[in-house]
Amino acid sequence: MCGIVGKLYVDESNSNPDAIGTMCLAIAHRGPDGEGIKKIDNCILGHRRLSIIDLSINANQPMVNAEGRFHIVFNGEIYNFQKIKDELIVKGYQFLNKSDTEVILQAYAEYNVGCFSKFEGMFALAIWDSKEKKLVMARDHFGKKPFFYCYDKNGNFTFCSEVNGLRADPDIIFRYNMEAVNCYLALGYILNPMSMYEDIFQLKPGTYMVLDQKCQIINQGAFWNYAEHFRIKTKDNEQDIIENIRDLFRSAVKKRMISDVPVGAFLSGGIDSSSVVIMLKKFYTNELHTFSVGFREKSYNELPDAERLAKLIGTVHHSIMCDPENPGELLEEAANACDQIFADNSIIPMIEVSKLASEYVKVVLSGDGADELFAGYITYKADNYYKYAQLIPKLLRKMLADQKIGFRKDSGNKIGKGYKQKQFFTGSLSDYRKAHYSWRLFYSPEERVAILGEKFRALVYDTDPFFAFNKYYDEVSDFSRLDQHLFVDAKTWLTDDILVKTDRSTMHSSIEARCPYLDIQLAQYIASVPDSLKLHGSASKYILKKSLRSIVPDFVLDKKKSGFNAPLSTWLNVDSSQEFKVYNKYIYDFYLNNKN
């Protein structure tokens, strides 16, 4: 796990290694174990290293392959690198170290851009071909690792793991992208390939891009098509599916044990993290450290559940109570940990538990991805109930959406009934696509106009992020409704919210997070499973729970799902129905006042 930077100059005489060094320093938290900068032709590559596999200096980056042609900077882990390496050795390739980085180089030498579809893991990388004078970049299937790029004011191409690194380059111009700001106010995150700044973009997950020596794009495309795995449904019966999921999950966890440094795991006490920890404990031969965060507020606190499981299976468990005297400090730290506006408040406890984990390990496994694969969120149940809501007169639904009747005051629960009521009935006024989109909506278009001003009215409506969602829906309009929602959420919510939160919070404390549920073999198989086995009536994660029943204790499997939110309503003294909006606006104001 590392941080990468690079710059391709139109004119080699203007190249400036010092600029790359400044950018590397800005993302030093992503790789505190070393720095490397190398100039090749009119390309300069920079790297900050977090040493995980092959701790020797032979695995430092930027790295060149044995033949001296290809140079790489790489952020991530390739879990099947040994298998690919064995294949390449048979083909006559030589290797100088034991890292997965060198395997990427030699795989590219053999397969060109076709190599990316062979990789199982997480990656954001750039390869300079010193013979053909071209820069090749790629980002992993789901977008676990970030990759931002832009052209500076002189036409030079620049890339970095974080926007914070790009800020260190004086030749890059920062102007707010109001379409992205509109997206943020609506959703709390920014949809790729946008960033919050004009002309700074994210490389889309599952894609590659190739530039020539003059910084012009000469090739780009996708190396993975998630949709095709939904379209071809498995013929396996239910029992075979259960066993296949269990086997694939076991394999996914074992792959993510590959490390030359200690491995631990986050443990919330819920199904996803608990199943990861239990499976990891079966195969990890060293002391297994697990980490949890809790709150004084009872409905937010899952520490007793996590500690109960840790004691049962015998991990060395560490927990921390998040009970700040000054909540504003935590909110400000969360804002600074992100490189652009981001309003998922669960990043606050993620930052705290990552700090705790960093005292003991460099690698942690997490349960991220299971909800998006197995339909674990309450929103998927809401999608089911949508058809029944249509039987209610529209006028009454409007009243319920405005909370004119029904639940008026939210309780101390994480997400109060009043908030759920409003979101559900607001969505019920639209078609099924927009209904699903609106379950997680922060500010309506008119509310966004009120925040941004009347001069942005046309922009708010013309660039509504629902249009991006709708394009994804159009790609899979032949799917069942649940599969459509799962596909769209993977392209939006998973990549641009969940995985951003995980990456930024862990890298803030210089540790690496690995997500077994997002193993590509497992994810592709789950996509092929009939949707009725994911959401079975009102039972979410039906087939996952069936697969885990012989592994995970009943008190975990039968536990009511609980989100990983911070108790902002208590900290900020607001009604829980307003806490998401309040936090969204807090981050918005923070960036306007403190960032370019």
Side-chain angles (χ1 to χ4, degrees), residues 336-355:
N336 282 320
C338 298
D339 46 352
Q340 53 181 347
I341 43 180
F342 181 75
D344 184 337
N345 75 61
S346 63
I347 195 171
I348 297 172
M350 274 292 290
I351 287 173
E352 295 304 301
V353 75
S354 295
K355 288 180 189 175

Side-chain angles (χ1 to χ4, degrees), residues 102-130:
E102 189 178 21
V103 173
I104 295 173
L105 278 172
Q106 299 293 50
Y108 178 77
E110 174 66 18
Y111 303 112
N112 202 279
V113 296
C115 70
F116 304 132
S117 63
K118 292 180 172 289
F119 299 153
E120 296 178 16
M122 49 186 176
F123 56 90
L125 59 87
I127 298 171
W128 175 252
D129 183 339
S130 59

